[in-house]
Short mmCIF file of all heavy atoms in Angstrom, two decimals:
data_model
loop_
_atom_site.label_atom_id
_atom_site.label_comp_id
_atom_site.label_asym_id
_atom_site.label_seq_id
_atom_site.Cartn_x
_atom_site.Cartn_y
_atom_site.Cartn_z
N LEU A 1 84.51 72.80 96.99
CA LEU A 1 85.37 72.76 95.74
C LEU A 1 84.55 72.19 94.54
O LEU A 1 84.71 72.70 93.42
CB LEU A 1 86.63 72.11 95.92
CG LEU A 1 87.66 72.57 97.09
CD1 LEU A 1 88.76 71.65 97.24
CD2 LEU A 1 87.98 74.00 96.59
N ALA A 2 83.89 71.14 94.81
CA ALA A 2 82.95 70.50 93.80
C ALA A 2 81.96 71.53 93.13
O ALA A 2 81.79 71.61 91.91
CB ALA A 2 82.38 69.27 94.30
N LEU A 3 81.36 72.28 94.11
CA LEU A 3 80.39 73.24 93.55
C LEU A 3 81.07 74.37 92.60
O LEU A 3 80.55 74.65 91.67
CB LEU A 3 79.86 74.12 94.77
CG LEU A 3 78.62 73.28 95.59
CD1 LEU A 3 78.30 74.02 96.80
CD2 LEU A 3 77.42 73.19 94.54
N LEU A 4 82.19 74.86 93.09
CA LEU A 4 83.01 75.76 92.27
C LEU A 4 83.44 75.14 90.91
O LEU A 4 83.11 75.85 89.89
CB LEU A 4 84.13 76.29 93.14
CG LEU A 4 83.90 77.13 94.35
CD1 LEU A 4 85.18 77.48 95.00
CD2 LEU A 4 83.05 78.35 93.90
N GLY A 5 83.76 73.91 91.05
CA GLY A 5 84.15 73.20 89.75
C GLY A 5 83.09 72.95 88.82
O GLY A 5 83.16 73.16 87.48
N THR A 6 81.71 72.70 89.39
CA THR A 6 80.56 72.62 88.59
C THR A 6 80.25 73.94 87.84
O THR A 6 79.73 73.88 86.74
CB THR A 6 79.46 72.17 89.41
OG1 THR A 6 79.83 70.84 90.07
CG2 THR A 6 78.23 71.96 88.63
N VAL A 7 80.50 74.99 88.59
CA VAL A 7 80.07 76.28 88.02
C VAL A 7 81.04 76.61 86.76
O VAL A 7 80.64 77.09 85.78
CB VAL A 7 80.15 77.38 89.02
CG1 VAL A 7 80.02 78.77 88.37
CG2 VAL A 7 78.99 77.28 90.06
N VAL A 8 82.39 76.36 87.11
CA VAL A 8 83.46 76.44 86.01
C VAL A 8 83.05 75.57 84.84
O VAL A 8 83.08 76.10 83.71
CB VAL A 8 84.80 76.11 86.56
CG1 VAL A 8 85.78 76.18 85.44
CG2 VAL A 8 85.15 77.04 87.66
N LEU A 9 82.64 74.25 85.03
CA LEU A 9 82.30 73.43 84.00
C LEU A 9 81.19 73.84 83.15
O LEU A 9 81.17 73.93 81.83
CB LEU A 9 82.03 71.96 84.50
CG LEU A 9 81.70 70.92 83.55
CD1 LEU A 9 82.87 70.70 82.63
CD2 LEU A 9 81.34 69.74 84.18
N ALA A 10 80.16 74.39 83.83
CA ALA A 10 78.99 74.94 83.25
C ALA A 10 79.28 76.13 82.42
O ALA A 10 78.72 76.32 81.35
CB ALA A 10 77.86 75.15 84.22
N SER A 11 80.28 76.90 82.90
CA SER A 11 80.63 78.19 82.16
C SER A 11 81.33 77.86 80.93
O SER A 11 81.27 78.44 79.91
CB SER A 11 81.47 79.01 83.10
OG SER A 11 80.71 79.33 84.28
N LEU A 12 82.28 76.82 80.90
CA LEU A 12 83.14 76.51 79.77
C LEU A 12 82.37 75.48 78.86
O LEU A 12 82.54 75.62 77.69
CB LEU A 12 84.44 75.81 80.31
CG LEU A 12 85.25 76.67 81.13
CD1 LEU A 12 86.54 75.91 81.62
CD2 LEU A 12 85.66 78.02 80.42
N LEU A 13 81.61 74.53 79.42
CA LEU A 13 80.87 73.55 78.54
C LEU A 13 79.37 73.44 79.10
O LEU A 13 79.09 72.36 79.60
CB LEU A 13 81.68 72.14 78.75
CG LEU A 13 83.14 72.05 78.22
CD1 LEU A 13 83.70 70.76 78.68
CD2 LEU A 13 83.20 72.26 76.75
N PRO A 14 78.58 74.39 78.70
CA PRO A 14 77.30 74.26 79.17
C PRO A 14 76.47 73.32 78.16
O PRO A 14 76.85 73.15 77.03
CB PRO A 14 76.74 75.68 78.89
CG PRO A 14 77.63 76.21 77.79
CD PRO A 14 79.02 75.68 78.05
N CYS A 15 75.55 72.64 78.77
CA CYS A 15 74.71 71.68 77.91
C CYS A 15 73.64 72.54 77.24
O CYS A 15 73.19 73.53 77.70
CB CYS A 15 74.00 70.79 78.83
SG CYS A 15 72.93 71.42 80.12
N ARG A 16 73.34 72.18 75.94
CA ARG A 16 72.59 72.94 75.08
C ARG A 16 71.57 72.04 74.43
O ARG A 16 71.74 70.83 74.30
CB ARG A 16 73.32 73.66 74.00
CG ARG A 16 74.45 74.62 74.55
CD ARG A 16 75.32 75.02 73.32
NE ARG A 16 76.51 75.90 73.92
CZ ARG A 16 76.45 77.20 73.90
NH1 ARG A 16 75.40 77.93 73.54
NH2 ARG A 16 77.49 77.89 74.37
N GLY A 17 70.47 72.59 73.80
CA GLY A 17 69.58 71.84 72.91
C GLY A 17 68.98 70.65 73.52
O GLY A 17 68.45 70.67 74.74
N GLN A 18 69.07 69.46 72.78
CA GLN A 18 68.43 68.27 73.32
C GLN A 18 69.09 67.78 74.60
O GLN A 18 68.49 67.16 75.41
CB GLN A 18 68.42 67.19 72.16
CG GLN A 18 67.48 67.50 71.07
CD GLN A 18 67.48 66.42 69.91
OE1 GLN A 18 68.35 65.61 69.95
NE2 GLN A 18 66.45 66.54 69.16
N VAL A 19 70.38 67.98 74.53
CA VAL A 19 71.15 67.53 75.78
C VAL A 19 70.71 68.34 77.01
O VAL A 19 70.49 67.74 78.03
CB VAL A 19 72.71 67.76 75.56
CG1 VAL A 19 73.49 67.44 76.91
CG2 VAL A 19 73.18 66.93 74.48
N ALA A 20 70.47 69.54 76.92
CA ALA A 20 69.83 70.34 78.01
C ALA A 20 68.43 69.77 78.40
O ALA A 20 68.17 69.83 79.54
CB ALA A 20 69.81 71.78 77.59
N GLU A 21 67.66 69.31 77.53
CA GLU A 21 66.30 68.90 77.78
C GLU A 21 66.48 67.55 78.51
O GLU A 21 65.80 67.27 79.53
CB GLU A 21 65.64 68.64 76.39
CG GLU A 21 65.12 69.87 75.82
CD GLU A 21 64.49 69.57 74.43
OE1 GLU A 21 64.08 68.42 74.24
OE2 GLU A 21 64.16 70.47 73.69
N VAL A 22 67.42 66.67 78.12
CA VAL A 22 67.59 65.53 78.86
C VAL A 22 68.13 65.83 80.32
O VAL A 22 67.65 65.12 81.29
CB VAL A 22 68.75 64.49 78.18
CG1 VAL A 22 69.17 63.38 79.02
CG2 VAL A 22 68.25 64.09 76.88
N PHE A 23 69.17 66.74 80.38
CA PHE A 23 69.60 66.94 81.70
C PHE A 23 68.45 67.68 82.61
O PHE A 23 68.32 67.40 83.75
CB PHE A 23 70.74 68.11 81.68
CG PHE A 23 72.09 67.48 81.68
CD1 PHE A 23 72.72 67.19 80.39
CD2 PHE A 23 72.78 67.26 82.87
CE1 PHE A 23 73.95 66.60 80.43
CE2 PHE A 23 73.99 66.77 82.84
CZ PHE A 23 74.61 66.38 81.55
N GLY A 24 67.49 68.41 81.92
CA GLY A 24 66.37 69.02 82.73
C GLY A 24 65.45 67.87 83.33
O GLY A 24 65.01 67.93 84.35
N THR A 25 65.27 66.79 82.40
CA THR A 25 64.48 65.68 83.03
C THR A 25 65.10 64.93 84.06
O THR A 25 64.54 64.61 85.14
CB THR A 25 64.06 64.67 81.75
OG1 THR A 25 63.44 65.43 80.68
CG2 THR A 25 63.33 63.57 82.25
N VAL A 26 66.46 64.66 83.93
CA VAL A 26 67.16 63.95 84.95
C VAL A 26 67.34 64.85 86.19
O VAL A 26 67.15 64.21 87.40
CB VAL A 26 68.64 63.68 84.39
CG1 VAL A 26 69.40 63.05 85.62
CG2 VAL A 26 68.57 62.70 83.17
N THR A 27 67.28 66.08 86.07
CA THR A 27 67.34 67.02 87.15
C THR A 27 66.12 66.95 87.99
O THR A 27 66.11 66.95 89.19
CB THR A 27 67.57 68.47 86.67
OG1 THR A 27 69.02 68.55 86.14
CG2 THR A 27 67.64 69.58 87.85
N THR A 28 64.99 66.96 87.36
CA THR A 28 63.64 66.87 88.03
C THR A 28 63.62 65.65 88.84
O THR A 28 63.13 65.64 90.00
CB THR A 28 62.50 66.91 87.03
OG1 THR A 28 62.62 68.10 86.15
CG2 THR A 28 61.23 66.68 87.67
N ALA A 29 64.16 64.43 88.28
CA ALA A 29 64.11 63.16 89.06
C ALA A 29 65.01 63.23 90.11
O ALA A 29 64.86 62.72 91.26
CB ALA A 29 64.53 62.13 88.09
N ALA A 30 66.19 63.93 89.94
CA ALA A 30 67.30 64.04 90.99
C ALA A 30 66.70 64.87 92.14
O ALA A 30 67.00 64.55 93.37
CB ALA A 30 68.52 64.83 90.40
N ILE A 31 65.91 65.88 91.85
CA ILE A 31 65.49 66.70 92.86
C ILE A 31 64.31 65.96 93.82
O ILE A 31 64.33 66.02 95.03
CB ILE A 31 64.70 68.05 92.45
CG1 ILE A 31 65.82 68.98 91.75
CG2 ILE A 31 63.79 68.70 93.43
CD1 ILE A 31 65.15 70.25 91.16
N ALA A 32 63.63 65.10 93.08
CA ALA A 32 62.67 64.31 93.84
C ALA A 32 63.34 63.23 94.70
O ALA A 32 62.99 63.09 95.76
CB ALA A 32 61.76 63.52 92.81
N LEU A 33 64.41 62.69 94.11
CA LEU A 33 65.26 61.74 94.96
C LEU A 33 65.87 62.44 96.17
O LEU A 33 65.93 61.94 97.24
CB LEU A 33 66.39 61.10 94.07
CG LEU A 33 67.40 60.27 94.66
CD1 LEU A 33 66.63 58.92 95.37
CD2 LEU A 33 68.39 59.67 93.71
N LEU A 34 66.26 63.63 95.86
CA LEU A 34 66.99 64.42 97.00
C LEU A 34 66.06 64.65 98.12
O LEU A 34 66.45 64.39 99.32
CB LEU A 34 67.40 65.78 96.41
CG LEU A 34 67.99 66.87 97.42
CD1 LEU A 34 69.40 66.32 97.90
CD2 LEU A 34 68.14 68.16 96.75
N PHE A 35 64.77 65.11 97.90
CA PHE A 35 63.90 65.33 98.98
C PHE A 35 63.30 63.98 99.61
O PHE A 35 62.92 63.84 100.70
CB PHE A 35 62.73 66.31 98.60
CG PHE A 35 63.11 67.58 98.63
CD1 PHE A 35 63.94 68.28 97.63
CD2 PHE A 35 62.72 68.42 99.76
CE1 PHE A 35 64.38 69.55 97.96
CE2 PHE A 35 63.22 69.68 99.90
CZ PHE A 35 64.04 70.30 98.98
N PHE A 36 63.24 62.93 98.70
CA PHE A 36 62.95 61.62 99.28
C PHE A 36 64.00 61.21 100.34
O PHE A 36 63.54 60.75 101.53
CB PHE A 36 62.81 60.65 98.16
CG PHE A 36 62.56 59.21 98.66
CD1 PHE A 36 61.31 58.78 98.83
CD2 PHE A 36 63.62 58.31 98.83
CE1 PHE A 36 61.07 57.41 99.24
CE2 PHE A 36 63.44 57.09 99.29
CZ PHE A 36 62.11 56.63 99.59
N LEU A 37 65.25 61.49 100.04
CA LEU A 37 66.30 61.10 100.95
C LEU A 37 66.26 62.00 102.25
O LEU A 37 66.47 61.59 103.34
CB LEU A 37 67.66 61.16 100.25
CG LEU A 37 67.82 60.15 99.21
CD1 LEU A 37 69.21 60.44 98.56
CD2 LEU A 37 67.86 58.71 99.82
N HIS A 38 65.85 63.31 102.03
CA HIS A 38 65.69 64.17 103.14
C HIS A 38 64.76 63.67 104.15
O HIS A 38 64.86 63.53 105.33
CB HIS A 38 65.39 65.65 102.76
CG HIS A 38 66.45 66.31 102.18
ND1 HIS A 38 67.74 66.28 102.76
CD2 HIS A 38 66.64 67.34 101.36
CE1 HIS A 38 68.48 67.20 102.09
NE2 HIS A 38 67.87 67.78 101.18
N GLY A 39 63.59 63.19 103.64
CA GLY A 39 62.52 62.54 104.37
C GLY A 39 62.99 61.28 104.96
O GLY A 39 62.57 61.10 106.19
N ALA A 40 63.66 60.42 104.30
CA ALA A 40 64.10 59.21 104.93
C ALA A 40 65.13 59.36 106.02
O ALA A 40 65.22 58.52 106.96
CB ALA A 40 64.66 58.33 103.81
N LYS A 41 65.92 60.48 105.93
CA LYS A 41 67.00 60.71 106.90
C LYS A 41 66.52 61.37 108.17
O LYS A 41 67.04 61.22 109.15
CB LYS A 41 68.08 61.61 106.33
CG LYS A 41 68.94 60.87 105.25
CD LYS A 41 70.11 61.68 104.84
CE LYS A 41 69.65 63.01 104.20
NZ LYS A 41 70.80 63.87 103.77
N LEU A 42 65.35 62.03 108.14
CA LEU A 42 64.90 62.91 109.18
C LEU A 42 64.29 62.06 110.40
O LEU A 42 63.44 61.35 110.08
CB LEU A 42 63.92 64.01 108.73
CG LEU A 42 63.43 64.97 109.82
CD1 LEU A 42 64.57 65.68 110.45
CD2 LEU A 42 62.44 65.82 109.26
N SER A 43 64.92 62.01 111.46
CA SER A 43 64.41 61.37 112.69
C SER A 43 63.25 61.97 113.31
O SER A 43 63.46 63.17 113.82
CB SER A 43 65.52 61.10 113.66
OG SER A 43 65.01 60.52 114.87
N ARG A 44 62.14 61.41 113.37
CA ARG A 44 60.99 62.04 113.97
C ARG A 44 61.13 62.06 115.58
O ARG A 44 60.61 62.96 116.17
CB ARG A 44 59.74 61.19 113.66
CG ARG A 44 59.08 61.56 112.41
CD ARG A 44 58.07 60.59 111.97
NE ARG A 44 58.67 59.31 111.47
CZ ARG A 44 57.96 58.30 110.96
NH1 ARG A 44 56.74 58.41 110.90
NH2 ARG A 44 58.66 57.25 110.45
N ASP A 45 61.89 61.15 116.06
CA ASP A 45 62.22 61.22 117.54
C ASP A 45 62.99 62.48 117.98
O ASP A 45 62.68 63.04 118.87
CB ASP A 45 63.02 59.90 117.94
CG ASP A 45 62.10 58.71 117.77
OD1 ASP A 45 60.90 58.81 117.81
OD2 ASP A 45 62.78 57.68 117.59
N ALA A 46 64.04 62.95 117.12
CA ALA A 46 64.81 64.04 117.37
C ALA A 46 63.83 65.28 117.35
O ALA A 46 64.09 66.17 118.13
CB ALA A 46 65.91 64.15 116.35
N VAL A 47 62.98 65.37 116.41
CA VAL A 47 62.15 66.56 116.24
C VAL A 47 61.12 66.61 117.40
O VAL A 47 60.95 67.61 117.99
CB VAL A 47 61.34 66.41 114.93
CG1 VAL A 47 60.22 67.58 114.84
CG2 VAL A 47 62.24 66.49 113.76
N ILE A 48 60.53 65.47 117.76
CA ILE A 48 59.52 65.50 118.87
C ILE A 48 60.26 65.84 120.20
O ILE A 48 59.74 66.52 120.97
CB ILE A 48 58.93 64.15 119.00
CG1 ILE A 48 58.02 63.89 117.71
CG2 ILE A 48 58.04 63.98 120.21
CD1 ILE A 48 57.48 62.48 117.66
#
């Protein structure tokens, strides 16, 4: 539901201009954090 709500929000109130640039920078950092957490959560014992 949150994903659908996010799409609706972006459709009605999209970020533009300098705000979009700020969101782009924050998004890059968020992606790095996301995959850092993926690495921290993955148990090597389970994989082996």
